[in-house]
Amino acid sequence: MTEEVNWEEDLENDAAIANLVHHLNIHKQHIGKSDRNSEARPSNERVDFVALPCDHRMPTDYVVACFKYYLKQKETEFSCPRFDEVQKKSCGRKLCYRDLCQLIPLTDKQREFLEENLAALVARRLFDIKACPGCQSHVERRDRSNLCVNCTICTANLKRTYFFCWNCCRQWKGPTNNSVRCENTGCGQRVRTSDPLIPCNPEFKMKMLKKQGDDIYQVKDKAHERKRLALLINNVEFKNLDDRTGADKDELSMEVLLKGLGYTVITLRDLSAQGMLAAMRDFAQREEHTESDSCFVVLMSHGDANGICGVFDSFDNEEEEDIFPTDYIFNSLNTPNCAGLRDKPKIILIQACRGDKEGSVDVPDAAPRRSRSKEHRETDFCCFRSCTPDTVSYRNKKKGSDFIQDIVEIFNQHAHQDDIEELFRKVIKKFKTTHPDQMPCKERATLSKKFFLFPGL
């Protein structure tokens, strides 16, 4: 912190957050009790399960990923996502960081990430804190009526007094004794950033619904109580395989797209096959699906012909691989297992290799080989995969994968007027002309109608 604020002393003197300090220091007890390799997996090489206070058992990597997701949503506690068969709703039992430390032997890297984000989150709640536009250090504003704030770090570095505007987060312009408003253009006005997603025209939606009627899936209006959900699993850091550098670009691009399309995105990172299965099963039971009209599931990882790689790839017993078969996605969301999405489009996007046939200089995502009327079990799906069987799927370390980035581009430009399968066709067409070494393909497409996203409506 800057502006002569000793944040750590203030933190320990504030009774409101003394409990957090205790939570963040709990790890010191665990370090003294065990000799652990900071990057090694706890105990044996198989996926560990933990029993939560609510008695639900879950893979430890899934629990940690969920906790990180809640932190991203600015929540300091994790809610158990398991479906309670008795209450017929998600469990929701709360779990704090102290509970997590007592249940799971976290690695130093996991601990550092969680503690830094918890501390920053609580600090923002209790103090008036922003990042200085000059050096990006966190500055606490002592006088909440004064928009002209001094950053002592920039002042020392530049050898002159540096002020920035608390309102527009730019270097202060104008007299410093005017604490109400700086003279930067647009200060005090809401700055609207351009949205790459072209919104749908209401007249076009009405025209399509009138013209095609029963041939289009019902889409709920944004204005009503619509609750769209999307699950995004992004495996980036692996125990035995190369990390998927550049995958964070795909994650961010896909999150922005899905949120623009009206979906609440549940993003989970670095899951084992068991963790992915638990995530799929819990996602399928979310109550929000009953108020939704569709869902998206996006999986990004290494892969091979057998499925999608978990972050552990293989165990000490090499006969058992950490592989998540794609069949599990369809089984989790099918007619008998996901009542909330029955007769609703379920769109699956998979960025992962399916073999080891290379064809480019970019980094391949490849892994080594090691009480109603009858309804079909599997309907209203459309799975779009980044490559054809037995081939690799390419990812650029700086830009991300061609597959995800092209999907985002095509959806942004054409989702306002094209249905989902036409959008996929446009992606395939672009690959044919610009990325000839890779070809996306649709699989297990059972959509009986056209699915329009009608962005913005």
Side-chain angles (χ1 to χ4, degrees):
M1 297 296 156
T2 60
E3 209 186 22
E4 301 175 358
V5 175
N6 188 324
W7 182 73
E8 291 183 353
E9 288 182 5
D10 286 356
L11 187 69
E12 303 225 5
N13 291 333
D14 196 317
I17 49 178
N19 196 35
L20 172 73
V21 176
H22 175 67
H23 289 181
L24 297 184
N25 286 334
I26 193 76
H27 74 278
K28 295 177 182 176
Q29 304 170 18
H30 292 273
I31 292 175
K33 290 180 182 178
S34 63
D35 237 326
R36 48 186 177 78
N37 182 332
S38 63
E39 295 306 320
R41 291 186 59 228
S43 65
N44 59 40
E45 288 298 310
R46 295 181 180 277
V47 175
D48 295 318
F49 282 76
V50 60
L52 302 184
C54 54
D55 293 330
H56 288 131
R57 291 184 75 253
M58 297 183 187
T60 56
D61 57 283
Y62 177 46
V63 175
V64 173
C66 286
F67 203 94
K68 289 181 178 180
Y69 165 73
Y70 275 90
L71 279 179
K72 194 173 181 178
Q73 307 310 306
K74 297 181 171 51
E75 297 289 339
T76 58
E77 291 183 315
F78 154 75
S79 298
C80 174
R82 190 55 44 86
F83 186 74
D84 190 311
E85 293 291 349
V86 177
Q87 300 185 31
K88 299 300 180 185
K89 64 178 184 178
S90 296
C91 172
R93 175 73 178 269
K94 298 292 185 181
L95 188 77
C96 68
Y97 178 66
R98 178 175 56 185
D99 299 326
L100 189 70
C101 288
Q102 292 171 341
L103 290 170
I104 300 173
L106 300 171
T107 66
D108 283 347
K109 191 169 185 179
Q110 290 171 333
R111 209 179 290 279
E112 180 182 2
F113 176 89
L114 294 173
E115 290 177 5
E116 283 185 358
N117 283 273
L118 269 172
L121 177 58
V122 175
R124 289 190 187 98
R125 289 183 179 179
L126 297 173
F127 302 110
D128 202 12
I129 291 173
K130 282 190 179 181
C132 167
C135 63
Q136 298 305 311
S137 63
H138 289 93
V139 179
E140 179 188 359
R141 180 174 63 157
R142 286 183 166 177
D143 183 359
R144 295 187 178 234
S145 65
N146 188 357
L147 293 179
C148 183
V149 180
N150 170 235
C151 173
T152 57
I153 292 180
C154 285
T155 296
N157 291 340
L158 299 172
K159 295 183 171 44
R160 60 177 173 81
T161 306
Y162 180 90
F163 295 98
F164 70 93
C165 177
W166 199 257
N167 188 44
C168 66
C169 290
R170 288 177 284 177
Q171 184 173 352
W172 185 268
K173 188 175 181 180
T176 57
N177 60 351
N178 175 15
S179 62
V180 179
R181 183 176 182 272
C182 77
E183 295 181 1
N184 280 312
T185 304
C187 182
Q189 301 175 5
R190 186 177 178 183
V191 179
R192 296 182 62 87
T193 57
S194 59
D195 188 349
L197 183 64
I198 299 176
C200 178
N201 188 306
E203 287 74 23
F204 173 79
K205 180 180 179 180
M206 292 179 61
K207 176 183 176 182
M208 295 305 295
L209 292 175
K210 183 177 180 180
K211 180 180 178 181
Q212 302 199 29
D214 293 339
D215 290 331
I216 296 179
Y217 280 101
Q218 180 183 359
V219 176
K220 295 189 176 184
D221 291 334
K222 182 180 179 180
H224 297 108
E225 293 300 315
R226 183 182 72 185
K227 298 179 180 179
R228 286 177 168 177
L229 287 184
L231 176 63
L232 194 165
I233 297 174
N234 186 20
N235 289 342
V236 180
E237 298 182 356
F238 293 77
K239 177 177 171 56
N240 299 315
L241 299 173
D242 291 338
D243 291 344
R244 297 181 59 249
T245 308
D248 56 325
K249 304 293 192 305
D250 288 343
E251 180 181 310
L252 177 60
S253 298
M254 188 53 65
E255 282 183 334
V256 171
L257 173 64
L258 291 172
K259 288 175 182 177
L261 292 171
Y263 293 85
T264 298
V265 186
I266 302 167
T267 302
L268 302 176
R269 270 203 183 193
D270 299 337
L271 295 180
S272 64
Q274 289 287 352
M276 287 187 273
L277 178 59
M280 282 303 315
R281 288 176 172 172
D282 287 339
F283 179 74
Q285 298 303 317
R286 293 285 293 251
E287 300 96 299
E288 293 94 329
H289 292 318
T290 60
E291 303 299 325
S292 178
D293 54 21
S294 57
C295 83
F296 271 78
V297 173
V298 184
L299 290 96
M300 301 184 286
S301 184
H302 287 304
D304 65 13
N306 297 319
I308 301 166
C309 291
V311 291
F312 302 133
D313 177 43
S314 62
F315 304 108
D316 277 348
N317 174 10
E318 292 189 1
E319 293 181 359
E320 185 178 354
E321 294 182 314
D322 190 24
I323 296 292
F324 178 69
T326 55
D327 275 352
Y328 290 172
I329 305 170
F330 295 89
N331 292 341
S332 298
L333 299 176
N334 67 13
T335 303
N337 291 327
C338 186
L341 289 172
R342 187 173 296 150
D343 300 324
K344 300 173 183 178
K346 296 163 278 286
I347 309 302
I348 302 163
L349 307 176
I350 302 175
Q351 161 61 30
C353 286
R354 307 176 67 181
D356 54 8
K357 294 180 181 178
E358 300 183 13
S360 175
V361 295
D362 285 340
V363 181
D365 275 339
R369 281 298 303 275
R370 313 210 189 228
S371 52
R372 56 170 60 199
S373 60
K374 285 188 177 181
E375 296 183 31
H376 197 277
R377 296 181 62 86
E378 187 176 302
T379 64
D380 309 297
F381 281 92
C382 190
C383 179
F384 196 39
R385 304 199 60 165
S386 59
C387 58
T388 52
D390 303 319
T391 61
V392 295
S393 180
Y394 294 103
R395 170 178 39 84
N396 184 282
K397 288 186 176 182
K398 294 182 178 180
K399 298 184 295 183
S401 68
D402 295 328
F403 179 66
I404 295 297
Q405 297 303 323
D406 283 359
I407 284 178
V408 171
E409 178 185 328
I410 294 297
F411 275 51
N412 280 334
Q413 295 177 358
H414 301 285
H416 68 289
Q417 61 185 11
D418 290 337
D419 68 277
I420 195 80
E421 293 195 82
E422 175 61 17
L423 293 171
F424 290 162
R425 189 193 65 79
K426 281 184 165 67
V427 174
I428 293 172
K429 182 179 180 181
K430 182 173 182 182
F431 263 79
K432 189 172 182 180
T433 56
T434 60
H435 315 299
D437 292 328
Q438 180 181 337
M439 181 53 64
C441 66
K442 289 191 299 181
E443 287 188 349
R444 296 171 78 158
T446 55
L447 296 179
S448 58
K449 303 177 182 180
K450 291 184 178 180
F451 175 38
F452 285 89
L453 290 157
F454 299 129
L457 300 179

